[in-house]
Structures are given as structure tokens and as C-alpha cells.
Amino acid sequence: MQDAFSSPEYQRRHQPPYDPLYPPPHPFPHHTSPSHLTYPWQPQPQPPEPERRRQPRHHALGRHSDIRVLRGAYRRQRRVATLTALGYFTLFLILSAFAPGLMASEVSGGLPTGLLLGLLQVPVTCLAIGLYEYTARRRVDPIADRIRRQTQLDAKREAAR
């Protein structure tokens, strides 16, 4: 006896259309069959154990807080030195453009103020270089040395494992 759900007409109407991009799921590929053990005393195949990796004691160097501190100190150092040299030069250009009377006035012995300010650009640039080196020795280099020592210690620990 056939019920309404097993009739060919019902199967034809309610079966989803074949889509080549999404073939119907099969429990096994057509060219293989499920593997059954021939004898019950044969050992079951064990899945391989996942490789265990030791977690590092320290965070990765890119996330280390000293790296952020070093970047900030280096950024401040560059800004101070750059703004010192470029700020003075910009001041010289603005005075040349908007205060020509001041730049043409004489300071002493026939030396115009514009020439004196232009000649002072060299010592101001040297001052900016000196300020850069001073802040490097005082603030940036100790942080970089501390990071370098920590990295060397981490490398030695890794090599000892």
C-alpha cells in the first residue's frame, strides 16, 4: 500500500530542483565506501594530537608598552627639533613679506635687520640639531637600550628551549 507522501507525483512536486552549484549532500563520495574494520580486535585509528606550543611569558614586542613609549618620545623629539628650525625660518619669511620696513632698518654699522636674521638661521638650525641630540641621549636612547636588552634576553630564552 502506498501512502500520499511516497507517491511519485508528490515526490516530483516537492523535490527541490537540482542546482549544479549546490549538489545534494552525499554521506560518502561516489568512488569510496565507508571503511569498516574487518576484525573487531583491530585498533581504532586515533586522530593525531594537535601540536602544543608554549605560550611566551612576555607579550610580543609589537604590543609592548615600551615600544609605544619609544614611539611617543621619538615623535616629540622630531617635532621639537623640526618646529624649532622651521618656526624660525617661517618667522623670517613672514617678517620679510609683511614687515619690509623692519627688515630694511639698520641694527648697527649699516647691518640691516633682515641680513642679521638671515645669518642667525645657521645658529638656530645648529641649536635645533643640538636639541635633537640632547633629547635623544636623555629620553629616547635609554628606552631603546631597555627594549634592546629585553629582546636579547627573550632571544636567549628562546634559544635555550
Side-chain angles (χ1 to χ4, degrees), residues 95-113:
L95 287 175
S96 297
F98 296 109
L102 174 70
M103 297 299 270
S105 65
E106 293 184 5
V107 178
S108 67
L111 182 67
T113 308

mmCIF file with all atom_site columns, all heavy atoms in Angstrom, residues 95-113:
data_model
loop_
_atom_site.group_PDB
_atom_site.id
_atom_site.type_symbol
_atom_site.label_atom_id
_atom_site.label_alt_id
_atom_site.label_comp_id
_atom_site.label_asym_id
_atom_site.label_entity_id
_atom_site.label_seq_id
_atom_site.pdbx_PDB_ins_code
_atom_site.Cartn_x
_atom_site.Cartn_y
_atom_site.Cartn_z
_atom_site.occupancy
_atom_site.B_iso_or_equiv
_atom_site.pdbx_formal_charge
_atom_site.auth_seq_id
_atom_site.auth_comp_id
_atom_site.auth_asym_id
_atom_site.auth_atom_id
_atom_site.pdbx_PDB_model_num
ATOM 1   N N   . LEU A 1 95  ? 58.231 87.998  8.355  1.00 0.00 ? 95  LEU A N   1
ATOM 2   C CA  . LEU A 1 95  ? 58.743 89.350  8.547  1.00 0.00 ? 95  LEU A CA  1
ATOM 3   C C   . LEU A 1 95  ? 59.213 89.953  7.226  1.00 0.00 ? 95  LEU A C   1
ATOM 4   O O   . LEU A 1 95  ? 59.033 91.148  6.980  1.00 0.00 ? 95  LEU A O   1
ATOM 5   C CB  . LEU A 1 95  ? 59.881 89.347  9.564  1.00 0.00 ? 95  LEU A CB  1
ATOM 6   C CG  . LEU A 1 95  ? 59.477 89.140  11.013 1.00 0.00 ? 95  LEU A CG  1
ATOM 7   C CD1 . LEU A 1 95  ? 60.725 89.036  11.897 1.00 0.00 ? 95  LEU A CD1 1
ATOM 8   C CD2 . LEU A 1 95  ? 58.574 90.264  11.493 1.00 0.00 ? 95  LEU A CD2 1
ATOM 9   N N   . SER A 1 96  ? 59.800 89.123  6.367  1.00 0.00 ? 96  SER A N   1
ATOM 10  C CA  . SER A 1 96  ? 60.254 89.631  5.062  1.00 0.00 ? 96  SER A CA  1
ATOM 11  C C   . SER A 1 96  ? 59.078 90.062  4.200  1.00 0.00 ? 96  SER A C   1
ATOM 12  O O   . SER A 1 96  ? 59.168 91.045  3.459  1.00 0.00 ? 96  SER A O   1
ATOM 13  C CB  . SER A 1 96  ? 61.053 88.562  4.317  1.00 0.00 ? 96  SER A CB  1
ATOM 14  O OG  . SER A 1 96  ? 62.212 88.235  5.011  1.00 0.00 ? 96  SER A OG  1
ATOM 15  N N   . ALA A 1 97  ? 57.966 89.340  4.274  1.00 0.00 ? 97  ALA A N   1
ATOM 16  C CA  . ALA A 1 97  ? 56.818 89.642  3.416  1.00 0.00 ? 97  ALA A CA  1
ATOM 17  C C   . ALA A 1 97  ? 55.968 90.779  3.978  1.00 0.00 ? 97  ALA A C   1
ATOM 18  O O   . ALA A 1 97  ? 55.490 91.630  3.215  1.00 0.00 ? 97  ALA A O   1
ATOM 19  C CB  . ALA A 1 97  ? 55.963 88.385  3.255  1.00 0.00 ? 97  ALA A CB  1
ATOM 20  N N   . PHE A 1 98  ? 55.747 90.798  5.281  1.00 0.00 ? 98  PHE A N   1
ATOM 21  C CA  . PHE A 1 98  ? 54.787 91.734  5.845  1.00 0.00 ? 98  PHE A CA  1
ATOM 22  C C   . PHE A 1 98  ? 55.406 92.901  6.618  1.00 0.00 ? 98  PHE A C   1
ATOM 23  O O   . PHE A 1 98  ? 54.686 93.812  7.023  1.00 0.00 ? 98  PHE A O   1
ATOM 24  C CB  . PHE A 1 98  ? 53.803 90.992  6.758  1.00 0.00 ? 98  PHE A CB  1
ATOM 25  C CG  . PHE A 1 98  ? 52.963 89.998  6.015  1.00 0.00 ? 98  PHE A CG  1
ATOM 26  C CD1 . PHE A 1 98  ? 53.158 88.638  6.184  1.00 0.00 ? 98  PHE A CD1 1
ATOM 27  C CD2 . PHE A 1 98  ? 51.999 90.419  5.123  1.00 0.00 ? 98  PHE A CD2 1
ATOM 28  C CE1 . PHE A 1 98  ? 52.388 87.718  5.494  1.00 0.00 ? 98  PHE A CE1 1
ATOM 29  C CE2 . PHE A 1 98  ? 51.225 89.507  4.427  1.00 0.00 ? 98  PHE A CE2 1
ATOM 30  C CZ  . PHE A 1 98  ? 51.426 88.148  4.611  1.00 0.00 ? 98  PHE A CZ  1
ATOM 31  N N   . ALA A 1 99  ? 56.718 92.853  6.855  1.00 0.00 ? 99  ALA A N   1
ATOM 32  C CA  . ALA A 1 99  ? 57.362 93.972  7.565  1.00 0.00 ? 99  ALA A CA  1
ATOM 33  C C   . ALA A 1 99  ? 58.658 94.348  6.858  1.00 0.00 ? 99  ALA A C   1
ATOM 34  O O   . ALA A 1 99  ? 59.753 94.227  7.409  1.00 0.00 ? 99  ALA A O   1
ATOM 35  C CB  . ALA A 1 99  ? 57.636 93.577  9.009  1.00 0.00 ? 99  ALA A CB  1
ATOM 36  N N   . PRO A 1 100 ? 58.559 94.820  5.614  1.00 0.00 ? 100 PRO A N   1
ATOM 37  C CA  . PRO A 1 100 ? 59.795 95.157  4.900  1.00 0.00 ? 100 PRO A CA  1
ATOM 38  C C   . PRO A 1 100 ? 60.528 96.343  5.530  1.00 0.00 ? 100 PRO A C   1
ATOM 39  O O   . PRO A 1 100 ? 61.751 96.427  5.446  1.00 0.00 ? 100 PRO A O   1
ATOM 40  C CB  . PRO A 1 100 ? 59.319 95.476  3.486  1.00 0.00 ? 100 PRO A CB  1
ATOM 41  C CG  . PRO A 1 100 ? 57.874 95.760  3.581  1.00 0.00 ? 100 PRO A CG  1
ATOM 42  C CD  . PRO A 1 100 ? 57.381 95.032  4.791  1.00 0.00 ? 100 PRO A CD  1
ATOM 43  N N   . GLY A 1 101 ? 59.807 97.235  6.176  1.00 0.00 ? 101 GLY A N   1
ATOM 44  C CA  . GLY A 1 101 ? 60.457 98.375  6.832  1.00 0.00 ? 101 GLY A CA  1
ATOM 45  C C   . GLY A 1 101 ? 61.341 97.914  7.979  1.00 0.00 ? 101 GLY A C   1
ATOM 46  O O   . GLY A 1 101 ? 62.459 98.421  8.173  1.00 0.00 ? 101 GLY A O   1
ATOM 47  N N   . LEU A 1 102 ? 60.862 96.934  8.745  1.00 0.00 ? 102 LEU A N   1
ATOM 48  C CA  . LEU A 1 102 ? 61.655 96.396  9.852  1.00 0.00 ? 102 LEU A CA  1
ATOM 49  C C   . LEU A 1 102 ? 62.876 95.659  9.324  1.00 0.00 ? 102 LEU A C   1
ATOM 50  O O   . LEU A 1 102 ? 63.980 95.795  9.881  1.00 0.00 ? 102 LEU A O   1
ATOM 51  C CB  . LEU A 1 102 ? 60.795 95.456  10.706 1.00 0.00 ? 102 LEU A CB  1
ATOM 52  C CG  . LEU A 1 102 ? 61.528 94.703  11.807 1.00 0.00 ? 102 LEU A CG  1
ATOM 53  C CD1 . LEU A 1 102 ? 61.952 95.653  12.918 1.00 0.00 ? 102 LEU A CD1 1
ATOM 54  C CD2 . LEU A 1 102 ? 60.675 93.581  12.354 1.00 0.00 ? 102 LEU A CD2 1
ATOM 55  N N   . MET A 1 103 ? 62.695 94.891  8.259  1.00 0.00 ? 103 MET A N   1
ATOM 56  C CA  . MET A 1 103 ? 63.810 94.112  7.725  1.00 0.00 ? 103 MET A CA  1
ATOM 57  C C   . MET A 1 103 ? 64.864 95.018  7.074  1.00 0.00 ? 103 MET A C   1
ATOM 58  O O   . MET A 1 103 ? 66.038 94.646  7.028  1.00 0.00 ? 103 MET A O   1
ATOM 59  C CB  . MET A 1 103 ? 63.295 93.094  6.696  1.00 0.00 ? 103 MET A CB  1
ATOM 60  C CG  . MET A 1 103 ? 62.352 92.070  7.296  1.00 0.00 ? 103 MET A CG  1
ATOM 61  S SD  . MET A 1 103 ? 63.101 91.086  8.578  1.00 0.00 ? 103 MET A SD  1
ATOM 62  C CE  . MET A 1 103 ? 63.725 89.752  7.622  1.00 0.00 ? 103 MET A CE  1
ATOM 63  N N   . ALA A 1 104 ? 64.448 96.205  6.590  1.00 0.00 ? 104 ALA A N   1
ATOM 64  C CA  . ALA A 1 104 ? 65.398 97.109  5.939  1.00 0.00 ? 104 ALA A CA  1
ATOM 65  C C   . ALA A 1 104 ? 66.078 98.039  6.930  1.00 0.00 ? 104 ALA A C   1
ATOM 66  O O   . ALA A 1 104 ? 67.108 98.660  6.602  1.00 0.00 ? 104 ALA A O   1
ATOM 67  C CB  . ALA A 1 104 ? 64.685 97.920  4.866  1.00 0.00 ? 104 ALA A CB  1
ATOM 68  N N   . SER A 1 105 ? 65.551 98.113  8.141  1.00 0.00 ? 105 SER A N   1
ATOM 69  C CA  . SER A 1 105 ? 66.159 99.016  9.126  1.00 0.00 ? 105 SER A CA  1
ATOM 70  C C   . SER A 1 105 ? 67.523 98.490  9.547  1.00 0.00 ? 105 SER A C   1
ATOM 71  O O   . SER A 1 105 ? 67.772 97.288  9.541  1.00 0.00 ? 105 SER A O   1
ATOM 72  C CB  . SER A 1 105 ? 65.234 99.176  10.333 1.00 0.00 ? 105 SER A CB  1
ATOM 73  O OG  . SER A 1 105 ? 65.105 97.943  11.003 1.00 0.00 ? 105 SER A OG  1
ATOM 74  N N   . GLU A 1 106 ? 68.397 99.431  9.915  1.00 0.00 ? 106 GLU A N   1
ATOM 75  C CA  . GLU A 1 106 ? 69.758 99.059  10.274 1.00 0.00 ? 106 GLU A CA  1
ATOM 76  C C   . GLU A 1 106 ? 69.853 98.781  11.764 1.00 0.00 ? 106 GLU A C   1
ATOM 77  O O   . GLU A 1 106 ? 69.266 99.484  12.579 1.00 0.00 ? 106 GLU A O   1
ATOM 78  C CB  . GLU A 1 106 ? 70.726 100.169 9.880  1.00 0.00 ? 106 GLU A CB  1
ATOM 79  C CG  . GLU A 1 106 ? 70.843 100.343 8.390  1.00 0.00 ? 106 GLU A CG  1
ATOM 80  C CD  . GLU A 1 106 ? 71.877 101.393 8.014  1.00 0.00 ? 106 GLU A CD  1
ATOM 81  O OE1 . GLU A 1 106 ? 72.570 101.908 8.916  1.00 0.00 ? 106 GLU A OE1 1
ATOM 82  O OE2 . GLU A 1 106 ? 71.967 101.702 6.823  1.00 0.00 ? 106 GLU A OE2 1
ATOM 83  N N   . VAL A 1 107 ? 70.642 97.753  12.109 1.00 0.00 ? 107 VAL A N   1
ATOM 84  C CA  . VAL A 1 107 ? 70.862 97.406  13.515 1.00 0.00 ? 107 VAL A CA  1
ATOM 85  C C   . VAL A 1 107 ? 72.028 98.236  14.039 1.00 0.00 ? 107 VAL A C   1
ATOM 86  O O   . VAL A 1 107 ? 71.890 98.996  14.978 1.00 0.00 ? 107 VAL A O   1
ATOM 87  C CB  . VAL A 1 107 ? 71.121 95.892  13.679 1.00 0.00 ? 107 VAL A CB  1
ATOM 88  C CG1 . VAL A 1 107 ? 71.403 95.541  15.119 1.00 0.00 ? 107 VAL A CG1 1
ATOM 89  C CG2 . VAL A 1 107 ? 69.966 95.087  13.141 1.00 0.00 ? 107 VAL A CG2 1
ATOM 90  N N   . SER A 1 108 ? 73.192 98.032  13.447 1.00 0.00 ? 108 SER A N   1
ATOM 91  C CA  . SER A 1 108 ? 74.364 98.833  13.818 1.00 0.00 ? 108 SER A CA  1
ATOM 92  C C   . SER A 1 108 ? 75.394 98.723  12.708 1.00 0.00 ? 108 SER A C   1
ATOM 93  O O   . SER A 1 108 ? 75.554 97.680  12.093 1.00 0.00 ? 108 SER A O   1
ATOM 94  C CB  . SER A 1 108 ? 74.969 98.338  15.138 1.00 0.00 ? 108 SER A CB  1
ATOM 95  O OG  . SER A 1 108 ? 75.505 97.053  14.978 1.00 0.00 ? 108 SER A OG  1
ATOM 96  N N   . GLY A 1 109 ? 76.086 99.813  12.446 1.00 0.00 ? 109 GLY A N   1
ATOM 97  C CA  . GLY A 1 109 ? 77.166 99.823  11.458 1.00 0.00 ? 109 GLY A CA  1
ATOM 98  C C   . GLY A 1 109 ? 76.712 99.511  10.051 1.00 0.00 ? 109 GLY A C   1
ATOM 99  O O   . GLY A 1 109 ? 77.449 98.900  9.287  1.00 0.00 ? 109 GLY A O   1
ATOM 100 N N   . GLY A 1 110 ? 75.471 99.828  9.697  1.00 0.00 ? 110 GLY A N   1
ATOM 101 C CA  . GLY A 1 110 ? 74.980 99.600  8.341  1.00 0.00 ? 110 GLY A CA  1
ATOM 102 C C   . GLY A 1 110 ? 74.495 98.177  8.105  1.00 0.00 ? 110 GLY A C   1
ATOM 103 O O   . GLY A 1 110 ? 74.216 97.797  6.961  1.00 0.00 ? 110 GLY A O   1
ATOM 104 N N   . LEU A 1 111 ? 74.352 97.332  9.152  1.00 0.00 ? 111 LEU A N   1
ATOM 105 C CA  . LEU A 1 111 ? 73.876 95.940  9.009  1.00 0.00 ? 111 LEU A CA  1
ATOM 106 C C   . LEU A 1 111 ? 72.343 95.923  9.116  1.00 0.00 ? 111 LEU A C   1
ATOM 107 O O   . LEU A 1 111 ? 71.786 96.263  10.150 1.00 0.00 ? 111 LEU A O   1
ATOM 108 C CB  . LEU A 1 111 ? 74.489 95.068  10.117 1.00 0.00 ? 111 LEU A CB  1
ATOM 109 C CG  . LEU A 1 111 ? 74.149 93.587  10.093 1.00 0.00 ? 111 LEU A CG  1
ATOM 110 C CD1 . LEU A 1 111 ? 74.760 92.924  8.864  1.00 0.00 ? 111 LEU A CD1 1
ATOM 111 C CD2 . LEU A 1 111 ? 74.647 92.909  11.352 1.00 0.00 ? 111 LEU A CD2 1
ATOM 112 N N   . PRO A 1 112 ? 71.668 95.560  8.019  1.00 0.00 ? 112 PRO A N   1
ATOM 113 C CA  . PRO A 1 112 ? 70.198 95.530  8.069  1.00 0.00 ? 112 PRO A CA  1
ATOM 114 C C   . PRO A 1 112 ? 69.689 94.378  8.943  1.00 0.00 ? 112 PRO A C   1
ATOM 115 O O   . PRO A 1 112 ? 70.329 93.333  9.087  1.00 0.00 ? 112 PRO A O   1
ATOM 116 C CB  . PRO A 1 112 ? 69.759 95.337  6.627  1.00 0.00 ? 112 PRO A CB  1
ATOM 117 C CG  . PRO A 1 112 ? 70.979 95.126  5.832  1.00 0.00 ? 112 PRO A CG  1
ATOM 118 C CD  . PRO A 1 112 ? 72.166 95.284  6.689  1.00 0.00 ? 112 PRO A CD  1
ATOM 119 N N   . THR A 1 113 ? 68.517 94.574  9.509  1.00 0.00 ? 113 THR A N   1
ATOM 120 C CA  . THR A 1 113 ? 67.909 93.568  10.383 1.00 0.00 ? 113 THR A CA  1
ATOM 121 C C   . THR A 1 113 ? 67.633 92.282  9.614  1.00 0.00 ? 113 THR A C   1
ATOM 122 O O   . THR A 1 113 ? 67.813 91.170  10.142 1.00 0.00 ? 113 THR A O   1
ATOM 123 C CB  . THR A 1 113 ? 66.585 94.106  10.979 1.00 0.00 ? 113 THR A CB  1
ATOM 124 O OG1 . THR A 1 113 ? 66.829 95.367  11.576 1.00 0.00 ? 113 THR A OG1 1
ATOM 125 C CG2 . THR A 1 113 ? 66.001 93.169  11.992 1.00 0.00 ? 113 THR A CG2 1
#
